[in-house]
């Protein structure tokens, strides 16, 4: 493990608060909000009053400055009760990170204290209909006009769309540039020309709105350009995703634990062949594998989060990608097995285990699909291959390429 994982007392205190809110406001209302596709405002209010939105905001702007590891712990506890509410919370960090990591002092002062207080919710608008994994292929434009930018186009799948007040929107500001094509610009709810259109009818995470956001000549002052310099948007997006991925991974670990909790409880009560199914060895094997994978994922997530808190370094995106990929694959596997433990009851919407199963799938898709995470990991491995030069004498001469060739090949494949 590249970093020691140490939980601060503050992180534990915040996680404990999150657990209480999860028990009181999230789990009891999860089925209703899922069915009605409504946002859990009671829980969001409780999260705000408990100061949990302050977790990921630096102290200078009204936050706790508790770091990514604390954010992961809080998200995990909320998602353990309802994976959908887990993302409803965590997406505020995703949308705020471009400002936290790349914003000017004035921008941080302007927006972050309101986010910290839970007065304003945030959304992250990167994806478009024709630009998902290929985030360089954006088409929403922001044209300079005097002291303003004028934004035109549509974003797809904006989580928190409609309930959020602040939108970090990634736009093309220089179509002629390859490396500095994109900029991130803040659009506030209510700006003329900005609208929330199609609200998606989803398989899972139904309590949080995911929408299309439309920009019809939306005029915002240049002071809303994150960082104050155009062309930094792709960098801001990648930095944001590196920091946010332990959050989605923590959502997955919470969801896996939530499904496992149900499976254990059910297996100890359901009797078949005259004894609880938990005493049948094949059920025990499922429960044991679910617990092993969940815990392995949990510590990978904590290590990635601790790495970011320790100052990053060049291994952060590899660790974040590993954690996102493993934890979210784990959530899908564990939720599938939890349904299996429940047998026929697991297939029914009367019980929350079916919802954990439906909610799990999206984890493998958003914030970078798990195929893309594997590409990120592989790219790092090839880049780091020079560290293994001492093994050259054990590699047949006939197959040896230069490291530069191998690096170039993997770069070409992945771009
Ligand atoms: C419910 C939901 C909420 C979302 N929330 C947000 C949000 O808040 N903000 C936001 O900006 N976006 C959001 N998204 C978008 C999400 O991040 C994208 O769906 C995701 O990045 C994948 O893009 P795509 O759907 O266009 O799939 P595509 O990129 O078209 O991929 C389709 C398939 O091809 C694979 N693939 C693509 N390229 C490669 C490659 N080079 N090598 C191997 N396989 C590849 C993918 O892994 C996938 O399996 C959300 C999506 C959903 C469904």
């Amino acid at each position: 493990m590249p970093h020691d994982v140490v939980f601060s007392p503050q992180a534990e205190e915040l996680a404990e608060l999150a657990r209480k809110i999860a028990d009181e406001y999230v789990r009891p209302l999860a089925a209703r909000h899922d069915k009605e596709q409504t946002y859990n405002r009671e829980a969001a209010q409780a999260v705000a009053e408990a100061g949990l939105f302050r977790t990921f905001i630096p102290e200078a702007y009204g936050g706790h400055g508790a770091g990514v590891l604390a954010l992961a712990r809080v998200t995990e506890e909320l998602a353990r009760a309802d994976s959908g509410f887990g993302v409803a919370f965590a997406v505020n960090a995703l949308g705020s990170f471009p400002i936290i990591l790349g914003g000017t002092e004035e921008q941080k002062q302007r927006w972050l204290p309101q986010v910290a207080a839970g007065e304003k919710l945030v959304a992250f608008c990167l994806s478009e209909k024709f630009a998902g994994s290929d985030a360089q292929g954006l088409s929403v434009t922001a044209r300079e006009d005097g002291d303003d930018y004028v934004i035109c186009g549509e974003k797809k799948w904006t989580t928190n769309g409609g309930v959020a007040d602040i939108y970090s929107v990634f736009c093309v500001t220089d179509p002629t540039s390859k490396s500095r094509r994109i900029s991130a610009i803040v659009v506030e709810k209510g700006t003329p020309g900005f609208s929330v259109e199609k609200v998606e009818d989803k398989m899972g995470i139904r309590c949080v709105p995911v929408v299309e956001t439309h920009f019809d000549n939306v005029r915002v002052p240049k002071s809303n350009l994150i960082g104050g310099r155009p062309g930094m948007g792709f960098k801001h997006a990648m930095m944001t995703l590196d920091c946010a991925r332990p959050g989605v991974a923590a959502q997955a670990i919470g969801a896996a634990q939530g499904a496992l909790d149900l499976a254990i409880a059910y297996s100890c009560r359901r009797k078949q062949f005259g004894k609880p199914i938990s005493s049948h060895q094949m059920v025990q094997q499922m429960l044991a594998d679910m617990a092993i994978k969940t815990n392995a994922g949990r510590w990978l997530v904590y290590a990635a989060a601790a790495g970011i808190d320790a100052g990053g370094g060049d291994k952060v995106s590899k660790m974040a990608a590993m954690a996102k990929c493993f934890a979210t694959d784990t959530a899908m596997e564990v939720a599938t097995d939890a349904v299996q433990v429940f047998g026929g009851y697991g297939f029914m919407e009367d019980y929350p285990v079916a919802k954990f199963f439906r909610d799990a799938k999206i984890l493998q898709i958003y914030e970078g699909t798990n195929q893309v995470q594997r590409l990120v990991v592989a790219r790092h491995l090839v880049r780091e291959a020079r560290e293994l030069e001492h093994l050259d004498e054990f590699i047949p001469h006939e197959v040896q390429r230069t490291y530069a060739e191998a690096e170039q090949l993997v770069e070409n494949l992945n771009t």
Side-chain angles (χ1 to χ4, degrees):
M1 197 149 59
H3 301 279
D4 292 337
V5 177
V6 181
F7 297 106
S8 63
Q10 186 188 33
E12 283 307 283
E13 202 181 302
L14 292 169
E16 183 56 36
L17 278 171
R19 193 174 313 135
K20 283 191 183 136
I21 291 170
D23 290 342
E24 199 172 335
Y25 296 97
V26 182
R27 191 175 295 103
L29 299 173
R32 195 184 90 203
H33 287 294
D34 176 65
K35 199 170 174 128
E36 296 172 2
Q37 300 202 58
T38 44
Y39 187 75
N40 189 341
R41 290 190 186 275
E42 302 92 320
Q45 184 62 28
V47 163
E49 281 168 14
L52 294 183
F53 286 117
R54 297 185 195 281
T55 307
F56 52 88
I57 303 287
E59 279 177 297
Y61 312 103
H64 292 315
V68 176
L69 184 54
L71 174 64
R73 289 288 295 113
V74 169
T75 306
E76 181 185 345
E77 293 299 340
L78 297 173
R80 187 173 179 173
D82 178 355
S83 183
F85 189 74
V87 65
F89 169 74
V91 75
N92 291 285
L94 176 70
S96 300
F97 278 137
I99 303 170
I100 296 171
L101 300 170
T104 62
E105 186 56 32
E106 184 274 325
Q107 290 169 339
K108 292 176 189 179
Q109 296 284 2
R110 179 150 43 125
W111 289 305
L112 296 180
Q114 296 168 309
V115 178
E119 290 160 11
K120 295 216 164 165
L121 300 176
V122 197
F124 177 83
C125 305
L126 179 65
S127 303
E128 298 177 4
K129 271 185 194 157
F130 302 108
S133 301
D134 181 9
Q136 296 261 26
L138 301 184
S139 67
V140 168
T141 55
R143 165 176 60 81
E144 285 187 56
D145 186 24
D147 290 339
D148 301 330
Y149 276 107
V150 179
I151 305 174
C152 289
E154 291 170 19
K155 289 287 178 184
K156 188 82 182 154
W157 296 310
T158 303
T159 303
N160 248 6
V163 296
D165 307 277
I166 296 170
Y167 296 76
S168 295
V169 186
F170 291 82
C171 311
V172 178
T173 44
D174 183 356
T176 60
S177 170
K178 199 158 183 255
S179 57
R180 304 189 53 142
R181 210 172 152 255
I182 296 165
S183 303
I185 300 177
V186 170
V187 174
E188 297 192 52
K189 191 178 192 168
T191 309
F194 171 62
S195 62
V196 164
E197 299 292 331
K198 183 170 182 250
V199 180
E200 303 287 354
D201 184 10
K202 309 183 293 306
M203 175 197 293
I205 60 162
R206 288 160 63 88
C207 70
V208 59
V210 173
V211 307
E212 281 181 13
T213 37
H214 289 204
F215 303 84
D216 181 9
N217 288 299
V218 173
R219 185 174 283 276
V220 293
K222 280 190 177 160
S223 57
N224 284 23
L225 172 71
I226 295 181
R229 249 190 332 143
M232 302 302 289
F234 191 71
K235 187 175 174 214
H236 290 157
M238 294 304 114
M239 280 159 56
T240 290
L241 289 169
D242 280 347
C243 282
R245 277 182 183 138
V248 73
Q251 187 200 331
I253 292 306
Q257 188 64 54
L260 173 60
D261 293 342
L262 287 170
I264 296 168
Y266 179 83
S267 70
C268 292
R269 284 155 185 77
R270 171 71 170 173
K271 278 191 184 166
Q272 286 294 283
F273 301 97
K275 50 188 180 180
I277 59 168
S278 59
S279 57
H280 298 305
Q281 287 188 344
M282 274 190 258
V283 175
Q284 290 183 348
Q285 185 189 12
M286 274 197 282
L287 294 175
D289 283 345
M290 289 156 79
I292 291 165
K293 283 186 263 189
T294 303
N295 267 312
R298 174 174 286 126
W299 286 95
L300 197 53
V301 175
Y302 293 165
I308 293 168
D309 288 342
D314 59 352
K315 298 218 163 50
V316 155
S317 42
K318 181 176 78 174
M319 286 297 288
M322 282 185 181
K324 194 277 175 181
C325 190
F326 187 83
T328 60
D329 281 351
T330 294
M332 192 69 249
E333 287 165 23
V334 169
T336 305
D337 282 349
V339 171
Q340 194 70 16
V341 169
F342 269 71
Y345 289 108
F347 199 67
M348 302 302 147
E349 287 292 345
D350 302 347
Y351 307 98
V353 74
K355 175 173 152 9
F356 273 106
F357 177 82
R358 286 188 286 102
D359 285 350
K361 184 62 209 169
I362 187 57
L363 294 161
Q364 296 175 302
I365 297 172
Y366 61 22
E367 289 197 38
T369 68
N370 284 5
Q371 284 77 21
V372 169
Q373 303 314 302
R374 288 180 167 91
L375 293 181
V376 172
V377 174
R379 190 183 302 176
H380 278 270
L381 295 178
V382 173
R383 278 190 195 141
E384 291 158 16
R386 286 174 195 274
E387 293 166 19
L388 301 172
E389 259 168 341
H390 60 286
L391 296 177
D392 273 0
E393 62 178 298
F394 302 107
I395 309 292
H397 277 300
E398 296 88 316
V399 303
Q400 282 193 26
R401 286 180 182 277
T402 66
Y403 287 110
E405 268 182 292
E407 280 169 16
Q408 195 53 54
L409 279 172
V410 84
E411 293 295 333
N412 290 347
L413 274 176
N414 292 341
T415 51

